[in-house]
Amino acid sequence: MHGLGNDFILFDAREQPLEMDSSRARAIADRKTGVGCDQLIVLEPSSSADLRMRIFNSDGGEVEACGNAARCVAILTGGGSIETAGGIISGSADGGEATVDIGGPRFGWDEIPLAYAMDTSALPVAWEELQNPFAVNVGNPHVVFFVEDAAAIDLARLGPQIENDPLFPQRVNVNVASFEDGAIKLRVWERGAGLTLACGTAACATAVAAISRGMAASPVQVRLPGGTLTIHWSRGSSIRMSGPGTHVFTGEIEL
């Protein structure tokens, strides 16, 4: 499946257990010698929700959250509560569209997490022209840079530098955003996956940053290279993300 071009392999292991680890996930995700994907998703039984969603990036690392995948899972299963490593979220589906409630954002420096305390609304740091980002955890860690033109930033070069900076002990997702016709134009360097056509949690993090800084009002349209998501959020509430999810094919693989 894919959400705006952010593509996934989903294994339904709710009835038949499936062993998945970093090396196996990395091999399956390889676009030349495996099936190929940005993230690999394993659906398992859950004692606290309707199902559990495990998420592996293409580098094999297991991560806490993936908004685009959550929409795809809601469409695939019909919706309900979903246990993730970042907390319990919920989703509902209407045909090829889904809305996911990913919970409230976290702003504490130790919740991002950062290596040491600082103001997360405008980190006093810079990487060349990228300065003073907004940091937020929306199930996974993000920094958001507002710039004049998101398309002009060499994110392929700066993204991995920021992702792996010692300031971020669990690494970080890197977002560069600008405004276009009342909407947010967003490009994302995704932790463990690199440049992607879309990232749902990045859209959520960027909308929260823009609303928090008084640069936008809910609902926010976020335009990514793969398409547009709509984000609803107000202070003290949870984040709701709406957008499409697409089934591409069903197949079998010998593991």
Side-chain angles (χ1 to χ4, degrees):
M1 299 186 74
H2 76 87
L4 302 181
N6 184 195
D7 62 333
F8 315 104
I9 301 167
L10 297 96
F11 289 97
D12 191 344
R14 288 176 291 176
E15 296 184 3
Q16 181 177 347
L18 172 66
E19 287 189 24
M20 188 59 62
D21 57 23
S22 177
S23 60
R24 173 172 279 185
R26 187 169 59 250
I28 297 170
D30 190 291
R31 295 189 184 277
K32 292 185 172 63
T33 58
V35 180
C37 65
D38 290 324
Q39 280 87 22
L40 183 148
I41 309 299
V42 181
L43 305 182
E44 298 178 340
S46 170
S47 59
S48 56
D50 292 325
L51 58 88
R52 179 189 183 203
M53 177 174 75
R54 296 179 66 195
I55 307 155
F56 294 84
N57 280 337
S58 57
D59 68 352
E62 188 167 2
V63 295
E64 307 93 337
C66 181
N68 282 325
R71 290 201 321 280
C72 288
V73 169
I75 290 169
L76 183 70
T77 62
S81 57
I82 304 169
E83 177 191 353
T84 73
I88 294 179
I89 62 176
S90 63
S92 60
D94 182 7
E97 297 278 324
T99 296
V100 176
D101 186 323
I102 68 168
R106 299 190 288 275
F107 302 104
W109 71 270
D110 54 340
E111 296 175 307
I112 306 300
L114 304 177
Y116 43 87
M118 63 176 69
D119 179 8
T120 60
S121 66
L123 301 184
V125 294
W127 293 265
E128 298 180 17
E129 69 266 41
L130 295 181
Q131 304 176 10
N132 305 118
F134 190 103
V136 60
N137 190 306
V138 292
N140 55 5
H142 287 263
V143 285
V144 182
F145 298 89
F146 291 100
V147 297
E148 190 69 26
D149 181 7
I153 301 299
D154 188 357
L155 195 55
R157 180 175 60 85
L158 292 172
Q161 294 179 26
I162 300 169
E163 175 196 352
N164 295 288
D165 193 284
L167 176 60
F168 309 107
Q170 295 181 14
R171 298 185 294 161
V172 75
N173 297 282
V174 184
N175 309 286
V176 293
S178 53
F179 289 87
E180 180 180 78
D181 301 327
I184 295 175
K185 182 178 179 180
L186 176 64
R187 294 175 62 225
V188 184
W189 177 270
E190 194 165 350
R191 178 184 60 167
L195 289 171
T196 57
L197 291 175
C199 177
T201 58
C204 292
T206 302
V208 166
I211 294 168
S212 295
R213 286 187 175 180
M215 304 168 77
S218 179
V220 180
Q221 299 286 321
V222 182
R223 296 173 182 166
L224 296 125
T228 301
L229 295 172
T230 302
I231 312 300
H232 291 79
W233 178 73
S234 59
R235 293 183 185 276
S237 69
S238 59
I239 307 166
R240 289 184 295 118
M241 170 187 54
S242 298
T246 304
H247 176 261
V248 181
F249 68 87
T250 299
E252 296 181 2
I253 182 172
E254 176 58 59
L255 297 176

PDB file of all heavy atoms in Angstrom, residues 5 8 16 25 30 49 82 129 157 163-164 192 195 200 223:
ATOM      1  N   GLY A   5       2.368   8.147  -1.913  1.00  0.00           N
ATOM      2  CA  GLY A   5       3.671   7.746  -2.435  1.00  0.00           C
ATOM      3  C   GLY A   5       4.637   7.232  -1.387  1.00  0.00           C
ATOM      4  O   GLY A   5       5.686   6.685  -1.733  1.00  0.00           O
ATOM      5  N   PHE A   8       4.534   1.022   1.604  1.00  0.00           N
ATOM      6  CA  PHE A   8       4.645   0.060   2.700  1.00  0.00           C
ATOM      7  C   PHE A   8       4.401  -1.365   2.219  1.00  0.00           C
ATOM      8  O   PHE A   8       3.601  -1.598   1.318  1.00  0.00           O
ATOM      9  CB  PHE A   8       3.594   0.364   3.787  1.00  0.00           C
ATOM     10  CG  PHE A   8       3.495   1.813   4.140  1.00  0.00           C
ATOM     11  CD1 PHE A   8       2.448   2.583   3.676  1.00  0.00           C
ATOM     12  CD2 PHE A   8       4.480   2.409   4.910  1.00  0.00           C
ATOM     13  CE1 PHE A   8       2.363   3.929   3.979  1.00  0.00           C
ATOM     14  CE2 PHE A   8       4.412   3.756   5.220  1.00  0.00           C
ATOM     15  CZ  PHE A   8       3.350   4.517   4.751  1.00  0.00           C
ATOM     16  N   GLN A  16      -1.430 -15.656  12.398  1.00  0.00           N
ATOM     17  CA  GLN A  16      -0.250 -16.512  12.263  1.00  0.00           C
ATOM     18  C   GLN A  16       0.983 -15.692  12.602  1.00  0.00           C
ATOM     19  O   GLN A  16       1.314 -14.739  11.881  1.00  0.00           O
ATOM     20  CB  GLN A  16      -0.142 -17.060  10.834  1.00  0.00           C
ATOM     21  CG  GLN A  16       1.045 -17.978  10.622  1.00  0.00           C
ATOM     22  CD  GLN A  16       1.062 -18.561   9.222  1.00  0.00           C
ATOM     23  OE1 GLN A  16       0.077 -18.474   8.500  1.00  0.00           O
ATOM     24  NE2 GLN A  16       2.194 -19.151   8.841  1.00  0.00           N
ATOM     25  N   ALA A  25      13.835  -7.275   7.935  1.00  0.00           N
ATOM     26  CA  ALA A  25      13.091  -6.111   7.444  1.00  0.00           C
ATOM     27  C   ALA A  25      13.900  -5.361   6.390  1.00  0.00           C
ATOM     28  O   ALA A  25      13.375  -4.953   5.347  1.00  0.00           O
ATOM     29  CB  ALA A  25      12.734  -5.186   8.602  1.00  0.00           C
ATOM     30  N   ASP A  30      14.603  -3.775   0.614  1.00  0.00           N
ATOM     31  CA  ASP A  30      15.553  -3.410  -0.434  1.00  0.00           C
ATOM     32  C   ASP A  30      14.847  -3.395  -1.793  1.00  0.00           C
ATOM     33  O   ASP A  30      14.236  -4.386  -2.203  1.00  0.00           O
ATOM     34  CB  ASP A  30      16.719  -4.397  -0.454  1.00  0.00           C
ATOM     35  CG  ASP A  30      17.850  -3.927  -1.352  1.00  0.00           C
ATOM     36  OD1 ASP A  30      17.661  -3.917  -2.581  1.00  0.00           O
ATOM     37  OD2 ASP A  30      18.930  -3.578  -0.825  1.00  0.00           O
ATOM     38  N   ALA A  49      -5.500  -2.810  22.444  1.00  0.00           N
ATOM     39  CA  ALA A  49      -6.153  -2.157  21.303  1.00  0.00           C
ATOM     40  C   ALA A  49      -6.684  -3.233  20.361  1.00  0.00           C
ATOM     41  O   ALA A  49      -6.531  -4.426  20.619  1.00  0.00           O
ATOM     42  CB  ALA A  49      -5.160  -1.243  20.583  1.00  0.00           C
ATOM     43  N   ILE A  82      -5.314   1.278  17.464  1.00  0.00           N
ATOM     44  CA  ILE A  82      -4.059   0.695  17.005  1.00  0.00           C
ATOM     45  C   ILE A  82      -2.981   0.946  18.047  1.00  0.00           C
ATOM     46  O   ILE A  82      -2.686   2.102  18.375  1.00  0.00           O
ATOM     47  CB  ILE A  82      -3.619   1.303  15.656  1.00  0.00           C
ATOM     48  CG1 ILE A  82      -4.726   1.150  14.595  1.00  0.00           C
ATOM     49  CG2 ILE A  82      -2.322   0.678  15.177  1.00  0.00           C
ATOM     50  CD1 ILE A  82      -4.468   1.953  13.328  1.00  0.00           C
ATOM     51  N   GLU A 129      21.931  27.376   6.477  1.00  0.00           N
ATOM     52  CA  GLU A 129      20.791  28.298   6.435  1.00  0.00           C
ATOM     53  C   GLU A 129      19.589  27.818   7.235  1.00  0.00           C
ATOM     54  O   GLU A 129      18.616  28.563   7.404  1.00  0.00           O
ATOM     55  CB  GLU A 129      20.364  28.566   4.982  1.00  0.00           C
ATOM     56  CG  GLU A 129      19.742  27.377   4.270  1.00  0.00           C
ATOM     57  CD  GLU A 129      20.742  26.566   3.468  1.00  0.00           C
ATOM     58  OE1 GLU A 129      21.874  26.353   3.960  1.00  0.00           O
ATOM     59  OE2 GLU A 129      20.396  26.147   2.352  1.00  0.00           O
ATOM     60  N   ARG A 157      21.473  16.649   1.416  1.00  0.00           N
ATOM     61  CA  ARG A 157      22.775  16.810   2.053  1.00  0.00           C
ATOM     62  C   ARG A 157      22.638  17.168   3.537  1.00  0.00           C
ATOM     63  O   ARG A 157      23.317  16.593   4.386  1.00  0.00           O
ATOM     64  CB  ARG A 157      23.572  17.906   1.330  1.00  0.00           C
ATOM     65  CG  ARG A 157      24.964  18.163   1.920  1.00  0.00           C
ATOM     66  CD  ARG A 157      25.727  19.162   1.087  1.00  0.00           C
ATOM     67  NE  ARG A 157      25.050  20.452   1.006  1.00  0.00           N
ATOM     68  CZ  ARG A 157      25.182  21.400   1.943  1.00  0.00           C
ATOM     69  NH1 ARG A 157      25.947  21.205   3.015  1.00  0.00           N
ATOM     70  NH2 ARG A 157      24.559  22.553   1.806  1.00  0.00           N
ATOM     71  N   GLU A 163      19.726  14.691  11.122  1.00  0.00           N
ATOM     72  CA  GLU A 163      19.171  13.447  11.680  1.00  0.00           C
ATOM     73  C   GLU A 163      20.119  12.809  12.677  1.00  0.00           C
ATOM     74  O   GLU A 163      19.689  12.313  13.730  1.00  0.00           O
ATOM     75  CB  GLU A 163      18.886  12.451  10.558  1.00  0.00           C
ATOM     76  CG  GLU A 163      18.431  11.084  11.063  1.00  0.00           C
ATOM     77  CD  GLU A 163      18.497   9.980  10.022  1.00  0.00           C
ATOM     78  OE1 GLU A 163      18.756  10.271   8.838  1.00  0.00           O
ATOM     79  OE2 GLU A 163      18.282   8.809  10.388  1.00  0.00           O
ATOM     80  N   ASN A 164      21.409  12.809  12.361  1.00  0.00           N
ATOM     81  CA  ASN A 164      22.395  12.088  13.168  1.00  0.00           C
ATOM     82  C   ASN A 164      23.194  12.996  14.099  1.00  0.00           C
ATOM     83  O   ASN A 164      24.186  12.550  14.675  1.00  0.00           O
ATOM     84  CB  ASN A 164      23.348  11.329  12.239  1.00  0.00           C
ATOM     85  CG  ASN A 164      22.637  10.237  11.465  1.00  0.00           C
ATOM     86  OD1 ASN A 164      22.255   9.210  12.022  1.00  0.00           O
ATOM     87  ND2 ASN A 164      22.424  10.456  10.164  1.00  0.00           N
ATOM     88  N   GLY A 192      15.885   7.242   9.085  1.00  0.00           N
ATOM     89  CA  GLY A 192      15.993   5.837   8.705  1.00  0.00           C
ATOM     90  C   GLY A 192      15.483   5.501   7.333  1.00  0.00           C
ATOM     91  O   GLY A 192      15.573   4.351   6.905  1.00  0.00           O
ATOM     92  N   LEU A 195      14.804  10.830   1.972  1.00  0.00           N
ATOM     93  CA  LEU A 195      13.781  11.650   1.326  1.00  0.00           C
ATOM     94  C   LEU A 195      12.595  10.782   0.924  1.00  0.00           C
ATOM     95  O   LEU A 195      12.764   9.756   0.282  1.00  0.00           O
ATOM     96  CB  LEU A 195      14.365  12.337   0.086  1.00  0.00           C
ATOM     97  CG  LEU A 195      15.372  13.453   0.332  1.00  0.00           C
ATOM     98  CD1 LEU A 195      16.023  13.867  -0.979  1.00  0.00           C
ATOM     99  CD2 LEU A 195      14.710  14.655   1.000  1.00  0.00           C
ATOM    100  N   GLY A 200       3.323  11.287   7.083  1.00  0.00           N
ATOM    101  CA  GLY A 200       2.152  11.748   7.816  1.00  0.00           C
ATOM    102  C   GLY A 200       2.484  12.418   9.136  1.00  0.00           C
ATOM    103  O   GLY A 200       1.925  13.470   9.464  1.00  0.00           O
ATOM    104  N   ARG A 223       0.989  20.327   1.878  1.00  0.00           N
ATOM    105  CA  ARG A 223       1.271  19.787   0.551  1.00  0.00           C
ATOM    106  C   ARG A 223       2.671  19.167   0.538  1.00  0.00           C
ATOM    107  O   ARG A 223       3.671  19.851   0.747  1.00  0.00           O
ATOM    108  CB  ARG A 223       1.199  20.903  -0.495  1.00  0.00           C
ATOM    109  CG  ARG A 223      -0.170  21.526  -0.639  1.00  0.00           C
ATOM    110  CD  ARG A 223      -0.138  22.732  -1.570  1.00  0.00           C
ATOM    111  NE  ARG A 223      -1.455  23.360  -1.680  1.00  0.00           N
ATOM    112  CZ  ARG A 223      -1.650  24.564  -2.203  1.00  0.00           C
ATOM    113  NH1 ARG A 223      -0.623  25.265  -2.677  1.00  0.00           N
ATOM    114  NH2 ARG A 223      -2.867  25.075  -2.263  1.00  0.00           N
TER     115      ARG A 223
END
